[in-house]
Amino acid sequence: MIDAGINNGDLLIVDKSMDPTDGKIAVCFIDGEFTVKRLKVEKECCWLLPENESYDPIRVTTENDFVVWGIVIYVIKAL
Amino acid sequence: MFALVDCNNFYASCERVFRPELRGKPIVVLSNNDGCVIARSNEARKFGIPMGAAAYQYEKTFTDNNIFVFSSNYALYGDMSARVMDILASLAPEIEVYSIDEAFLKFEGCDFINLQEYGSMIVKTVTKSTGIPISVGIANTKALSKVANKVAKKFPDKTGSIYLIDSDEKRIKALKWLPVEDVWGIGRRHAKRLMALGIKNAYEFTQLPDQWVRKNMSVVGLRLKHELEGKPRLDMETAKAKQNIATTRSFDKNYTEYDQLRERITTFSVTCAEKLRRQKSSCNALLIFLHTNGFRSDLPQYSRNIVMKLPFPTNSSIEIAKFAVEGLSLIFKQGYQYKKAGVIVMDITPEETNQISMFENTNPKHKLLMDVMDRLNSAIGQKKVKLASQALDRTWKMKQERLSPRYTTRLSEIIIINA
């Protein structure tokens, strides 16, 4: 998520009560793993955008075991 | 109208929030010291593991069926409970936190809201914001809201985890469905007795004559009957001081020596006394018990308890420990392997109403000493200041082999994700 300003070691503040809408950055749980991605919600499916050139977007379908765990609202960086 | 909100399989649900892969998997949570099963997910219930089962007897069941086993993580459950209760408090005019995973809400003067829809909103809001699934039962009395909650919990798909009893028809249908032994406030003893009379469900209980219920189950039983008939008898209760406080433990190994038990009993007394001081109460009696391991039929068995009436109310660690050890010396017998012991402080009265007795009183100096001890222990951390008769190198350490991280209360234990 380096293009969104999130790097390893940062602290994320997550609000579980918010709705996962298009464009939000979310902590997701997909196929047994936590990940942080930007959501792209389309009619038929949802994409997880890595905001990092070295990774490919993930297309989420009903085949996946998927939950949006919470919406990232702040990022805290250590200096 | 009252709503009873109850978290579904609360402890297991807390573990699942941070381990979503465990959704739909069987989970059990063990008591302090990993002694026995205190919570089971619905999936785990199917394997015939009873509540309170001794963990070591079911090890094979756990591994054979891939059941996930957790030590109880009260730091996590307590914090998740506080989050649930905070949200509930913001959604209702009045709340009574009934236990770690249950609360009553009272809706008075809220006739203009559609409670079915509002209940649904409560379920959604809490479940989404905390990850903890809940069930809501709504009715015009507390006892009926409990009944409605059971319906919601039993039929989550049909009800959407919210059930509203708002007609006599619905009330009777729910009462007929509920076995008498599952009615809130009917203990095992009364349930047995009612079943012997052929009373199987809550509805049949409400058909009994008032006089019979009053005579056989006291006013408490009668109040319950009226509540189930839809006549409000119970109101919201504010938090009150606990009526007895127990500190009891199973030991990690068998103890045979008096000195070992004396140390344990002293430490348990100190813990009870600290809890008394925290709620600003004193106790007037103690119960001390000890017993051998009942599962080891190959060993000689012994089990005794003793109640010590105190000459004056106290919450001094020193005094409570002294009386408790005196009690221990009266019931301890050499030659047995003790597995469990405990101290229960009883007959609790508010600290400030302590009556001064003619001959013997709590030592007033202790109050100052205890204040200093409590302050030091809370400032520099867990139990640094002890009585000399307590073990300095804690001989006692809680067995927590399967403890999950304190995800919500320790920064070093939060979930880590690759960015």
Side-chain angles (χ1 to χ4, degrees):
Chain A
M1 292 293 287
I2 37 175
D3 296 339
I6 298 174
N7 302 83
N8 277 336
D10 293 350
L11 275 175
L12 302 180
I13 310 291
V14 175
D15 186 342
K16 273 181 79 72
S17 71
M18 288 172 70
D19 288 319
T21 47
D22 187 53
K24 293 254 169 63
I25 292 176
V27 169
C28 304
F29 189 82
I30 181 163
D31 301 332
E33 255 181 272
F34 278 111
T35 182
V36 56
K37 296 281 185 299
R38 192 181 292 280
L39 301 175
K40 187 166 190 284
V41 183
E42 288 178 354
K43 265 198 189 124
E44 299 296 315
C45 71
C46 163
W47 290 87
L48 302 182
L49 311 179
E51 301 264 351
N52 182 340
E53 281 183 355
S54 355
Y55 293 95
D56 291 325
I58 302 167
R59 186 167 182 264
V60 183
T61 64
T62 48
E63 303 287 296
N64 297 102
D65 176 25
F66 177 70
V67 277
V68 176
W69 198 86
I71 304 299
V72 178
I73 52 169
Y74 291 102
V75 48
I76 301 176
K77 298 194 168 283
L79 292 178
Chain B
M1 296 295 269
F2 292 93
L4 189 263
V5 180
D6 188 7
C7 302
N8 305 346
N9 308 311
F10 182 59
Y11 295 174
S13 297
C14 288
E15 301 290 353
R16 274 186 185 139
V17 171
F18 302 92
R19 300 269 307 269
E21 74 273 21
L22 300 184
R23 286 166 301 157
K25 302 264 163 62
I27 296 178
V28 299
V29 179
L30 305 180
S31 61
N32 277 341
N33 206 30
D34 292 352
C36 43
V37 174
I38 52 163
R40 306 157 299 162
S41 69
N42 286 342
E43 298 78 8
R45 285 169 209 223
K46 290 181 191 132
F47 294 107
I49 303 162
M51 204 57 174
Y56 77 93
Q57 287 186 318
Y58 283 86
E59 276 306 333
K60 200 168 149 22
T61 315
F62 297 156
T63 42
D64 288 356
N65 300 297
N66 296 318
I67 297 173
F68 291 83
V69 183
F70 290 93
S71 302
S72 37
N73 185 346
Y74 285 107
L76 176 66
Y77 310 151
D79 183 63
M80 292 306 286
S81 169
R83 288 164 189 251
V84 171
M85 299 306 168
D86 271 358
I87 296 169
L88 291 176
S90 73
L91 296 174
E94 243 184 286
I95 179 170
E96 173 192 338
V97 176
Y98 188 68
S99 71
I100 192 164
D101 60 353
E102 281 172 287
F104 285 104
L105 308 178
K106 188 179 180 185
F107 297 96
E108 205 173 47
C110 301
D111 304 338
F112 53 90
I113 19 180
N114 178 332
L115 285 171
Q116 179 76 40
E117 280 170 18
Y118 199 78
S120 223
M121 185 275 285
I122 293 177
V123 172
K124 278 196 203 95
T125 308
V126 172
T127 305
K128 183 153 182 265
S129 310
T130 61
I132 304 284
I134 61 167
S135 305
V136 177
I138 306 180
N140 73 326
T141 71
K142 271 180 147 181
L144 282 174
S145 73
K146 270 265 185 188
V147 176
N149 183 279
K150 290 214 187 243
V151 178
K153 193 170 251 185
K154 184 78 189 189
F155 308 103
D157 297 331
K158 251 193 197 160
T159 60
S161 296
I162 146 86
Y163 195 71
L164 170 66
I165 296 181
D166 55 357
S167 68
D168 232 27
E169 203 186 323
K170 277 170 134 181
R171 179 182 71 85
I172 291 166
K173 195 174 164 205
L175 291 182
K176 282 187 173 161
W177 165 81
L178 187 67
V180 75
E181 69 265 30
D182 291 345
V183 175
W184 180 50
I186 294 188
R188 208 178 301 162
R189 204 167 49 89
H190 280 310
K192 248 191 185 159
R193 182 152 178 208
L194 290 166
M195 282 189 285
L197 288 168
I199 289 158
K200 296 177 295 293
N201 61 45
Y203 180 72
E204 290 168 354
F205 169 67
T206 60
Q207 297 309 105
L208 287 167
D210 275 9
Q211 304 94 296
W212 188 93
V213 175
R214 202 198 148 100
K215 191 169 154 237
N216 293 283
M217 299 174 71
S218 84
V219 278
V220 181
L222 186 60
R223 211 185 292 153
L224 176 67
K225 175 179 183 274
H226 288 162
E227 281 256 313
L228 293 173
E229 288 168 347
K231 303 170 196 156
R233 293 289 183 269
L234 301 169
D235 203 352
M236 302 295 267
E237 279 176 35
T238 42
K240 53 174 185 264
K242 282 199 176 142
Q243 272 316 294
N244 50 58
I245 294 169
T247 307
T248 72
R249 297 278 184 273
S250 295
F251 306 136
D252 49 349
K253 56 178 191 282
N254 293 337
Y255 287 167
T256 53
E257 298 307 315
Y258 175 74
D259 282 350
Q260 292 172 317
L261 281 152
R262 190 189 56 187
E263 191 283 325
R264 291 291 79 215
I265 290 292
T266 305
T267 299
F268 299 161
S269 305
V270 169
T271 307
C272 285
E274 280 166 357
K275 287 184 183 165
L276 279 173
R277 296 198 291 274
R278 216 171 300 150
Q279 66 170 40
K280 302 204 184 313
S281 311
S282 297
C283 70
N284 292 274
L286 305 174
L287 184 143
I288 299 97
F289 73 85
L290 77 177
H291 60 75
T292 48
N293 187 346
F295 293 110
R296 294 285 305 270
S297 44
D298 53 320
L299 295 173
Q301 297 291 319
Y302 178 71
S303 161
R304 266 299 288 280
N305 67 62
I306 186 169
V307 173
M308 301 290 286
K309 251 336 252 166
L310 305 187
F312 46 82
T314 178
N315 59 18
S316 151
S317 296
I318 300 169
E319 286 166 347
I320 291 174
K322 190 185 120 217
F323 290 116
V325 168
E326 205 178 303
L328 174 70
S329 69
L330 295 171
I331 57 172
F332 178 83
K333 257 197 193 160
Q334 197 63 251
Y336 293 97
Q337 302 198 21
Y338 294 100
K339 182 63 183 168
K340 187 170 186 178
V343 174
I344 301 171
V345 295
M346 304 182 301
D347 192 0
I348 292 175
T349 48
E351 195 176 46
E352 68 269 23
T353 59
N354 284 358
Q355 270 189 23
I356 294 177
S357 98
M358 181 90 83
F359 304 107
E360 234 182 323
N361 281 297
T362 180
N363 186 335
K365 282 187 188 156
H366 284 188
K367 169 133 185 54
L368 299 171
L369 184 59
M370 293 302 127
D371 280 351
V372 173
M373 248 175 99
D374 289 343
R375 265 210 311 278
L376 282 172
N377 280 337
S378 82
I380 50 179
Q382 275 299 297
K383 321 261 151 125
K384 286 286 181 212
V385 188
K386 296 182 175 185
L387 303 186
S389 49
Q390 289 181 262
L392 291 177
D393 55 329
R394 256 176 74 159
T395 55
W396 172 259
K397 223 173 157 190
M398 191 144 49
K399 197 171 137 199
Q400 288 184 313
E401 284 166 356
R402 296 179 263 207
L403 189 63
S404 50
R406 292 163 291 182
Y407 303 102
T408 58
T409 50
R410 289 298 149 108
L411 201 49
S412 55
E413 297 180 18
I414 59 173
I415 296 176
I416 292 178
I417 310 171
N418 254 316

